[in-house]
Amino acid sequence: MQSWAVLQFPGSNSDHDAFRAASRVPNVRVDMLWHDQPIEKSKYDVIMIPGGFSFGDYLRAGAIAKLSPAMGSLLEAVEAGAHVIGICNGFQILLESRLLPGILQVNKGLKFISRMEECEVKTEAFPWFAKEDIGRKFRFPIAHRFGNYQVKDLDRSEMQPALVYQNNPNGSFQSLAGIYRKLGKGSLFGLMPHPERVSHSDQPAHDGIDLWLQASKRLAA
Amino acid sequence: MKTFKLSIRIRFKEGILDPEAEAILSALNRLEFSNIKSVACDRVFRLELEADDANQAIALGRKAAHDLLANLVMEDFEVELAS
């Protein structure tokens, strides 16, 4: 049995989508973790930091959430083997925490964008993408105003440009939709698209299902 | 301990794209302000704090800006004692 967790902050709004998506993966037990407690080291295989508006996005998106006890203990959990996926606001929190490099600025067109985007896998990113996934295209929804990812230089020895948009919707550097970092025994994957919102077979789009299933299989192997 | 008032100004670093400022500039240029050539949107925090002296107050302000108020990847800050 694998243990997955979803972090919750005041203002998270994709936490239940993430919980339901992970709950449907066979042999996965999912805990909801409130931000005010440190995360138990070595307990979780996957930690999901969901989308939303943690702490109202006050100051900057993710700036206040980074100070929570849960985030303060995240690095240790990752080094011990947890694989973190930070989605949308979760990605913003990882950037504010400096666990991933770069910043998310307001979208190039200044507007909030909510639509489906085709994203292509560019690199291997255990457990999310294997070598044979490179070139694979997923259709994921995006819903953000601050999704314009900018970074001076992505140090390829540490960071992988794991996922790119086919049609850069927000002005991101090199069309990046998600970046991946291997760290200790675990990893960090930050992305703006929302796979957890397309993770039910009764939805017209459900590309997220396979992402969770394959990750779980690779972790079990 | 005395009470001090600080003003902390946060601004984007040189070279960081600020689409909001660009949009404001083009709106100004559409009015009668075609001679305005650039716009920057800074953010100012006004703090009241207790410290032994002005130097300590400024040091505390700088630490607050460094640790939370500014994102040093994209922003610079200036701390000033308000009169």
Side-chain angles (χ1 to χ4, degrees), chain A residues 37-48:
Chain A
Q37 297 289 326
I39 300 164
E40 278 181 60
K41 192 179 156 185
S42 306
K43 182 168 181 184
Y44 295 105
D45 303 290
V46 170
I47 298 169
M48 303 164 92

Side-chain angles (χ1 to χ4, degrees), chain A residues 2 126 214-221:
Chain A
Q2 284 172 26
F126 182 86
Q214 294 302 327
S216 169
K217 274 187 196 162
R218 286 182 200 115
L219 285 166

